[in-house]
Amino acid sequence: MTDIKKSGNFLVSKEELEKQTEYSELVKTVISSRFSTENPKAFVHTYGCQGNVSDGERIKGMLEEMGYEFTDDVSQADLVLYNTCAIREHAEDRVFGNIGALKQYKKAKPHMIIALCGCMMQQQHIADRIYKSFPYVNLLFGTHVIHKLPELLYRVLCTKKRVFDITDSDGVIAEGLPVHRDGRFKAWLPIMYGCNNFCSYCIVPYVRGRERSRDFDTIVNEAKHLVAQGYKEITLLGQNVNSYNRDKGSEYNFPALLRAINAIEGDFIIRFMTSHPKDCTTELLDTMAQCDKVAKHLHLPVQSGNDKVLEEMNRKYTREKYLSLIRYAYKLMPELSITSDIIVGFPGEQYDEFKDTLSLIDEVKYTSLYTFIFSPRKGTKAYSMPDPVSREEKGRWFKELTDLQEQIAGRRTAGMKDKVYRVLCEEKAKAEGVLSGRTEGNIIIEFCGNENLIGSFVNVKVTECRTWIVRGEMC
Ligand code: 5AD
Ligand code: SF4
């Protein structure tokens, strides 16, 4: 039976979800007969982006329902699950290393179930390699069958056979899965899944399927529920939140969603990520400016400041279009904090073209940047593009970029001195009696305070500025 109607209705059917609930009960029965004295323990580790972290919370929710408890100690685990990321080669290498290291644990504890899922596993060549080279992996499943975890796990438990399921599809939406949230006051709220953009370097559209938006009212109700539970920060997630509901042709677009969530009563802030510049509209920026609960922080990945490179990347905007959005945004919100992603050394990029990225970051004055050296991803267009510049050379460009950004960030944070910021207290800092939090602009700020303030908002006056972090006093 297929879960997806190609008409654009990606919802997993009620019958399928009920079937999974039945499997969940079956797993519970099986494991309670095998672990009679205490509940079995699961070690779950998620790599990569917030979207993956949010999937991880659903996976943990399902495991909890099946009777598992969680542990941070692999050697104590009866089930180890890695929720993996495929965005760069380095991320995949780390996972391979960690799977290799599991062999000794499995030897010491033969009943241990080893399970792998996430973007990396959705690739056929990776699943094949795992099958051949890591015979002790019991379960591997892709991004489109997460909701089937109870059924897949039941098959592993009962047949003792290896279960591999990387069903390819345009993707699904499984509503109503249980969620085990890791945070007490910060929550992830996915609003859409998948990506249609096929940037030439990126693996995501191949492993996450097409764009599909969750129902507007379902999201708003989930946000209301989170606020009622005491969550203080809600981050709306999607690969490209700006195209929310475009797949459905609905007028209830992303700005409308922001307004609806902003209207929920309560003391909380709204963040969102990621925005694609090609779909970032003045309506979105106007909405950010008007909505008091929307953090004045915009993550707007530019990737490159050169038009030729942007075209080769298939980004569908120009440097000028990007800069005009930034100018509009700063005019509306002079205090706006803007962050971005940059790729250095895209295949064929020349040093002169890279210098356009340097001049762009100097013009935008980003708060911070996520910078990456291009990593070839099998199956993408850029994978087979000629790439003559050496890794060492790209490394030098990378250093030039990060040095420049450090100066810009230093000047930006220096401008915060003596100003007062509303801060969400997040955790204890390293030093005794010091708390760490974030401003609306996502800048880390440390200040003296009692730990019972963690999870609440306080006003902090900045007294000392470092490049990436500021210190202050509560007022
Ligand atoms: N190589 C390097 N960086 C990449 N990113 C995505 N794909 C690649 C790749 N193949 C970066 C982009 C994206 C961020 C999430 O990861 O900058 O915005
Ligand atoms: Fe990848 Fe581009 Fe989609 Fe972002 S918008 S997930 S970079 S293809």
Side-chain angles (χ1 to χ4, degrees):
M1 191 183 85
T2 171
D3 294 321
I4 316 155
K5 294 189 200 101
K6 288 283 174 188
S7 61
N9 179 2
F10 291 96
L11 274 186
V12 174
S13 67
K14 213 168 126 236
E15 296 76 40
E16 175 63 31
L17 291 172
E18 279 167 7
K19 190 173 99 186
Q20 294 307 323
T21 310
E22 285 164 21
Y23 274 115
S24 181
E25 284 303 314
L26 288 172
V27 171
K28 206 173 184 171
T29 314
V30 172
I31 59 178
S32 65
S33 68
R34 290 188 195 169
F35 297 85
S36 45
T37 49
E38 53 179 19
N39 290 338
K41 294 191 176 53
F43 173 95
V44 178
H45 185 73
T46 293
Y47 300 79
C49 70
Q50 286 81 358
N52 225 27
V53 172
S54 167
D55 280 354
E57 292 186 337
R58 279 168 179 75
I59 287 168
K60 282 173 107 173
M62 285 185 278
L63 287 173
E64 200 165 46
E65 238 176 43
M66 288 184 263
Y68 282 91
E69 281 174 5
F70 300 108
T71 174
D72 292 331
D73 180 355
V74 182
S75 69
Q76 294 298 310
D78 303 291
L79 182 148
V80 175
L81 188 145
Y82 288 155
N83 181 23
T84 63
C85 166
I87 201 89
R88 282 169 293 274
E89 203 175 0
H90 177 68
E92 294 193 343
D93 289 346
R94 261 176 62 209
V95 171
F96 277 124
N98 290 349
I99 301 170
L102 288 178
K103 192 174 178 179
Q104 47 154 331
Y105 293 106
K106 179 92 174 189
K107 216 169 162 187
K109 212 174 188 180
H111 79 267
M112 177 189 271
I113 291 175
I114 297 183
L116 307 171
C117 64
C119 292
M120 179 178 166
M121 300 305 149
Q122 186 62 42
Q123 304 168 94
Q124 188 69 53
H125 69 102
I126 299 282
D128 291 346
R129 181 168 160 194
I130 302 277
Y131 196 83
K132 279 197 207 102
S133 311
F134 300 94
Y136 48 88
V137 170
N138 306 90
L139 170 60
L140 182 151
F141 57 101
T143 51
H144 305 307
V145 291
I146 288 176
H147 60 282
K148 287 192 176 165
L149 177 58
E151 178 179 350
L152 300 173
L153 193 55
Y154 182 72
R155 275 168 50 199
V156 172
L157 285 165
C158 291
T159 65
K160 301 232 162 52
K161 286 193 184 136
R162 304 176 77 195
V163 175
F164 277 50
D165 185 344
I166 56 164
T167 305
D168 193 17
S169 89
D170 283 346
V172 297
I173 298 181
E175 288 295 356
L177 296 181
V179 189
H180 175 99
R181 292 190 190 275
D182 291 326
R184 279 184 299 115
F185 49 88
K186 287 169 70 159
W188 309 114
L189 177 43
I191 65 165
M192 62 189 298
Y193 304 100
C195 179
N196 289 353
N197 294 313
F198 291 93
C199 299
S200 60
Y201 50 82
C202 187
I203 194 73
V204 170
Y206 301 91
V207 292
R208 286 274 168 187
R210 299 290 63 76
E211 281 180 4
R212 47 208 192 272
S213 303
R214 293 181 69 198
D215 175 65
F216 191 95
D217 291 336
T218 306
I219 299 169
V220 176
N221 285 336
E222 199 167 319
K224 277 186 192 156
H225 188 61
L226 288 168
V227 173
Q229 285 179 300
Y231 282 90
K232 298 289 180 213
E233 179 180 297
I234 297 176
T235 304
L236 309 178
L237 295 176
Q239 297 298 339
N240 177 16
V241 291
N242 298 338
S243 60
Y244 172 73
N245 255 352
R246 201 178 289 162
D247 51 318
K248 294 185 184 156
S250 161
E251 65 193 283
Y252 289 97
N253 62 5
F254 184 57
L257 184 64
L258 278 181
R259 285 192 291 271
I261 298 177
N262 191 68
I264 297 171
E265 256 178 60
D267 191 17
F268 66 101
I269 61 168
I270 307 164
R271 295 187 187 277
F272 58 89
M273 65 190 322
T274 290
S275 291
H276 193 305
K278 83 174 165 54
D279 301 309
C280 179
T281 56
T282 50
E283 185 196 1
L284 171 66
L285 299 171
D286 292 340
T287 306
M288 277 182 84
Q290 288 153 8
C291 291
D292 59 326
K293 291 175 184 136
V294 175
K296 302 300 174 267
H297 171 213
L298 180 64
H299 184 63
L300 198 63
V302 67
Q303 314 295 0
S304 164
N306 176 273
D307 282 343
K308 182 168 157 272
V309 177
L310 286 173
E311 200 178 328
E312 300 262 296
M313 287 178 163
N314 193 29
R315 291 290 288 175
K316 301 198 181 86
Y317 54 85
T318 60
R319 173 192 176 99
E320 187 42 41
K321 151 105 200 286
Y322 185 90
L323 286 174
S324 69
L325 276 170
I326 300 289
R327 284 192 287 267
Y328 185 86
Y330 274 142
K331 215 163 144 193
L332 276 179
M333 297 169 277
E335 287 282 321
L336 182 67
S337 163
I338 306 180
T339 54
S340 197
D341 296 347
I342 306 268
I343 296 180
V344 175
F346 183 77
E349 185 177 16
Q350 312 272 317
Y351 183 65
D352 273 356
E353 294 163 347
F354 167 69
K355 281 208 309 210
D356 289 340
T357 302
L358 295 180
S359 68
L360 181 131
I361 71 163
D362 203 30
E363 190 164 340
V364 177
K365 308 266 181 293
Y366 291 107
T367 309
S368 61
L369 287 178
Y370 298 89
T371 44
F372 313 101
I373 291 184
F374 169 74
S375 169
R377 305 283 62 216
K378 202 169 172 179
T380 64
K381 198 167 166 218
Y383 182 76
S384 43
M385 288 180 180
D387 190 6
V389 176
S390 69
R391 184 83 190 181
E392 292 70 46
E393 183 65 11
K394 289 184 184 183
R396 282 191 286 275
W397 300 2
F398 186 85
K399 170 101 176 37
E400 209 176 329
L401 177 79
T402 48
D403 283 352
L404 175 60
Q405 180 54 34
E406 198 167 321
Q407 287 172 29
I408 295 168
R411 282 198 293 271
R412 267 200 81 115
T413 39
M416 293 173 73
K417 184 126 197 269
D418 297 329
K419 291 189 184 152
V420 175
Y421 292 87
R422 188 161 179 260
V423 171
L424 178 59
C425 303
E426 293 189 348
E427 57 193 3
K428 286 202 280 182
K430 275 199 195 110
E432 191 58 38
V434 179
L435 299 177
S436 167
R438 274 167 201 268
T439 65
E440 261 192 44
N442 219 18
I443 290 165
I444 298 174
I445 183 161
E446 289 186 350
F447 51 95
C448 290
N450 191 298
E451 63 184 271
N452 62 19
L453 289 170
I454 292 175
S456 57
F457 291 104
V458 293
N459 288 325
V460 181
K461 183 173 178 184
V462 174
T463 53
E464 187 193 336
C465 309
R466 304 249 175 113
T467 310
W468 306 115
I469 194 168
V470 296
R471 300 219 159 82
E473 286 163 3
M474 267 197 293
C475 54

